[in-house]
Amino acid sequence: MSAPLLEVSNLQAAYGEATAIWDVSFRVDRSELVAILGANGAGKTTTLRTVQGVLPQRAGKVVFDSLDIAGLPANRVVEAGITLVPEGRGLFSRMSIEENLELGAFTKRARRNLGKNREFVFQLFPVLKERRKQKAGVLSGGEQQMLAVGRGLMSEPRLLMLDEPSLGLAPMMVVKVFQTLGELKKEGLTILLVEQNVEASLEIADRAYLLENGRTILEGTADEFRGNPTIKESYLGL
């Protein structure tokens, strides 16, 4: 077997003196979609922020394509090939769709391919092309999420991490978000997904991990998760 694209081992991180994750371990193989599941406060967002370099880690290892990226600042992590689409989208509301997309292409590699990558995003989300000169703040919640994903893709990530991409969206837009992630997976993009919508996540995921109180407590294939009595009762309502 080839080495995983991302391998996280015994990760620990804190906000000030308050430890948020104690012992998180998982791996993401190339061209795989992995879901990290868990209740609110389980440590899912903290895990992504720590991998991205936004939050410093206290202990553990983060290895990306055989490179130890622990302690690297967020911009260096992006340059290495990891991009986070954060919860809440983090768009610049007074800037246009086009300007928000261009901000995603700040690395030298992505800047060289800005036009090509922008057209890829516009093919994925035609509504963004139609409204490219409009300010991000006037978009609907679903359109803003499209823009957030598009901005992440502008950096040419080798690993795209998404934090609650369906949060607060209308049901029709939730379907669109998961369809898009499925399309990106078919294109060969490696994806790490944090989501409260467990059922939809398991429909497109290859494997999943369950976090509880800042620790990894369960791992398995999507089918194994769907057949697990605890998952079915606690997260799928079955």
Side-chain angles (χ1 to χ4, degrees):
M1 290 181 61
S2 61
L5 182 62
L6 176 70
E7 188 165 21
V8 174
S9 307
N10 310 116
L11 191 63
Q12 184 180 122
Y15 294 95
E17 296 300 316
T19 301
I21 53 174
W22 298 83
D23 187 12
V24 172
S25 298
F26 62 91
R27 79 173 198 278
V28 185
D29 294 332
R30 288 166 174 79
S31 302
E32 188 178 38
L33 195 156
V34 171
I36 296 183
L37 309 174
N40 285 332
K44 305 185 300 298
T45 293
T46 300
T47 297
L48 295 190
R49 287 169 58 85
T50 307
V51 170
Q52 188 66 56
V54 176
L55 186 69
Q57 65 188 76
R58 279 186 168 178
K61 294 184 68 176
V62 181
V63 177
F64 181 68
D65 198 15
S66 302
L67 174 67
D68 186 353
I69 62 171
L72 289 183
N75 66 306
R76 292 281 305 282
V77 175
V78 174
E79 289 172 358
I82 301 177
T83 296
L84 171 63
V85 179
E87 180 182 354
R89 302 162 196 138
L91 301 174
F92 294 91
S93 61
R94 296 184 180 182
M95 300 178 70
S96 70
I97 288 173
E98 205 164 43
E99 289 169 334
N100 270 275
L101 290 176
E102 289 178 5
L103 286 174
F106 72 89
T107 65
K108 290 181 180 179
R109 180 185 68 255
R111 181 62 62 179
R112 287 194 298 267
N113 297 321
L114 190 151
K116 181 190 73 173
N117 295 333
R118 184 170 51 208
E119 283 308 308
F120 174 72
V121 171
F122 285 158
Q123 289 175 16
L124 201 60
F125 304 117
V127 68
L128 298 183
K129 185 172 185 177
E130 295 168 10
R131 306 179 63 180
R132 61 199 297 170
K133 299 300 182 183
Q134 294 188 9
K135 295 188 185 302
V138 306
L139 301 178
S140 69
E143 290 165 344
Q144 288 186 5
Q145 188 61 61
M146 292 178 192
L147 179 53
V149 173
R151 185 181 60 184
L153 293 171
M154 290 294 291
S155 67
E156 296 188 344
R158 297 167 61 204
L159 171 65
L160 182 67
M161 304 193 300
L162 302 105
D163 191 3
E164 303 287 3
S166 76
L167 185 66
L169 300 186
M172 184 180 300
M173 292 308 306
V174 172
V175 172
K176 172 62 177 174
V177 166
F178 281 96
Q179 285 177 341
T180 300
L181 295 182
E183 291 171 14
L184 291 171
K185 176 187 171 185
K186 289 178 182 177
E187 291 280 342
L189 181 61
T190 307
I191 299 172
L192 179 60
L193 173 66
V194 159
E195 250 296 335
Q196 288 285 348
N197 192 330
V198 174
E199 187 171 5
S201 299
L202 293 178
E203 283 296 321
I204 62 171
D206 296 297
R207 295 185 302 106
Y209 293 82
L210 180 64
L211 267 56
E212 185 176 280
N213 298 322
R215 293 180 170 87
T216 304
I217 64 166
L218 184 67
E219 65 175 288
T221 66
D223 287 340
E224 288 170 342
F225 263 64
R226 280 193 292 265
N228 185 294
T230 300
I231 299 296
K232 290 168 69 174
E233 181 178 350
S234 301
Y235 296 96
L236 299 177
L238 302 176

